[in-house]
Amino acid sequence: MKHFNPQVEQMNSFIVMDVLERANELQKQGIDIIHLEVGEPDFDVPSCVAEAAKTAYDKHLTHYTRSLGDPVLRQEIATFYRREYGVTVDPDCIVVTSGSSPSILLALMLLCDTDSEVILSNPGYACYRNFVLAVQANPVLVPLSEEKGLQYDIEAIRKCVNSRTAAIFINSPMNPTGMLLDESFMREIASLGVPVISDEIYHGLVYEGRAHSILEYTDQAFVLNGFSKRFAMTGLRLGYLIAPKSCMRALQKLQQNLFICASSVAQQAGIAALRQAEPDVERMKEIYDERRRYMISRLREIGFEIKVEPQGAFYVFADARKFTTDSYRFAFDVLESAHVGITPGVDFGTGGEGYVRFSYANSLENIKEGLDRISRYLVRHGSL
């Protein structure tokens, strides 16, 4: 090929997937790898979800659904938001998608053109920037600092807003930091007069404080959510986008043309998850929290700095500058030498350089073994 779309040329690889793929290659060679890199629940889906999927197949519910999603599922999502946040969501303002990633694309395609700018945190979820580039828009990165608790700075955001600003991305609990955005920030961001895209995929996995939905402060925002993290349904690929009613016909046209509809079977599983799986979520959350507390303590013992403890999701974003100035090289060397997968902080933007992300979506036994291996690695390399 002589020519690629220049926006694609600007995209970075999703480095955590590069780490995972190399880890899988090593495993095929018979090497025992501890996975602390990937943000995927290690739990099986709740039994009610599995049964609902089986029943859907048995009843031959394997055809197209409505493009916006099964009306029953959309009503359950609306009911969930009323129960969880006390907000009223019109089921007609929900589009069900094949995971939350298509929801990101739909929202950005709707809001952006070639002159648009989208404000993102730095560090922040690696794929946001690439989605912005995919729709021919320009990412504008706002740095986070430990001195401010890894919180978005509302004044820094205000300085970035201009006539080209199409949207502001927020994520709470945040990936990679695990931090919650506080209520005062949510109120202020909602009042800026710029569309807010709020990624709420880690809601339900909060151990300290409370996650707030942007819909508590405005009905003109775009909410991304799904079933992958809260309900451990990653492979079922089920998410949704909540949007202002005035946007729904345009979003429906995009959905029809790009994706047609989400999986009919996954949608039946999603209905069961919202109706029956909350006890499973509570059980998983208790286990995650035990792992979180152990990982924070052990990482500090090893010598990583954690100035701000994560409140949600299943990540610890640790300062590794005592050991390295090149997080990419460090992560791959840990993988090759210690046989532990970790994510280099640079995957999340320039603001993540010098940090590494550890996922505690693995058993406590594996976490202990993985961190012991890293401790031995650091001793061998003269870092301890």
Side-chain angles (χ1 to χ4, degrees), residues 122-123 143-153 171-174 176-182 185 306-312 317 355:
N122 181 19
L144 308 180
S145 70
E146 286 183 331
E147 290 70 25
K148 294 189 176 180
L150 293 174
Q151 289 280 332
Y152 246 143
D153 184 339
N171 176 211
S172 177
M174 299 180 79
T177 66
M179 297 307 298
L180 290 170
L181 296 174
D182 62 42
F185 173 86
I306 303 165
K307 294 177 182 174
V308 185
E309 295 187 2
Q311 300 165 284
F317 199 54
Y355 291 74

Side-chain angles (χ1 to χ4, degrees), residues 97-381:
T97 55
S98 301
S100 62
S101 293
S103 294
I104 299 174
L105 186 61
L106 291 176
L108 290 174
M109 289 186 73
L110 179 75
L111 294 171
C112 295
D113 59 36
T114 53
D115 293 321
S116 295
E117 295 180 351
V118 178
I119 296 173
L120 309 169
S121 68
N122 181 19
Y125 176 52
C127 296
Y128 292 153
R129 175 182 176 275
N130 291 331
F131 272 108
V132 172
L133 292 171
V135 299
Q136 307 285 309
N138 301 300
V140 175
L141 303 179
V142 175
L144 308 180
S145 70
E146 286 183 331
E147 290 70 25
K148 294 189 176 180
L150 293 174
Q151 289 280 332
Y152 246 143
D153 184 339
I154 191 68
E155 294 308 319
I157 291 174
R158 288 184 199 276
K159 291 176 182 177
C160 293
V161 172
N162 58 52
S163 60
R164 297 185 302 279
T165 305
I168 303 168
F169 246 105
I170 64 173
N171 176 211
S172 177
M174 299 180 79
N175 178 10
T177 66
M179 297 307 298
L180 290 170
L181 296 174
D182 62 42
E183 189 169 8
S184 63
F185 173 86
M186 300 287 275
R187 290 186 187 280
E188 291 188 81
I189 203 78
S191 70
L192 290 181
V194 177
V196 176
I197 303 175
S198 178
D199 186 346
E200 302 179 359
I201 192 68
Y202 291 103
H203 281 210
L205 303 179
V206 175
Y207 320 104
E208 297 179 14
R210 174 176 174 262
H212 290 277
S213 172
I214 192 64
L215 297 180
E216 296 174 52
Y217 312 101
T218 177
D219 61 1
Q220 294 301 301
F222 296 78
V223 167
L224 312 169
N225 209 331
F227 295 77
S228 293
K229 311 299 185 181
R230 185 185 189 112
F231 297 108
M233 291 168 57
T234 50
L236 276 74
R237 308 309 306 137
L238 187 64
Y240 53 90
L241 172 64
I242 303 173
K245 193 155 196 174
S246 60
C247 301
M248 290 308 296
R249 180 54 182 160
L251 288 169
Q252 185 178 31
K253 287 190 290 185
L254 288 169
Q255 168 84 335
Q256 289 169 339
N257 282 279
L258 295 176
F259 307 112
I260 302 180
C261 67
S263 158
S264 59
V265 173
Q267 290 188 63
Q268 293 300 309
I271 293 168
L274 290 170
R275 287 177 174 175
Q276 303 173 49
E278 207 54 41
D280 298 273
V281 174
E282 289 302 312
R283 177 181 59 84
M284 289 187 283
K285 188 168 74 171
E286 288 178 7
I287 295 170
Y288 283 136
D289 192 27
E290 181 185 11
R291 298 170 180 175
R292 177 184 73 102
R293 288 182 277 108
Y294 173 82
M295 181 174 276
I296 291 169
S297 174
R298 184 73 178 106
L299 285 172
R300 283 173 169 159
E301 286 178 8
I302 292 171
F304 291 91
E305 286 193 42
I306 303 165
K307 294 177 182 174
V308 185
E309 295 187 2
Q311 300 165 284
F314 33 59
Y315 309 115
V316 178
F317 199 54
D319 187 339
R321 287 174 291 185
K322 177 180 177 180
F323 310 122
T324 185
T325 56
D326 185 340
S327 62
Y328 183 93
R329 182 177 174 182
F330 180 75
F332 276 95
D333 197 46
V334 167
L335 176 61
E336 298 288 343
S337 302
H339 304 146
V340 182
I342 59 176
T343 308
V346 72
D347 197 16
F348 307 100
T350 56
E353 184 55 280
Y355 291 74
V356 288
R357 190 193 73 176
F358 297 86
S359 168
Y360 47 91
N362 204 331
S363 70
L364 190 57
E365 178 184 6
N366 282 340
I367 290 169
K368 289 178 177 179
E369 172 62 22
L371 296 183
D372 286 347
R373 291 183 187 183
I374 291 174
S375 179
R376 292 193 292 270
Y377 163 89
L378 293 172
V379 169
R380 288 197 305 272
H381 287 73

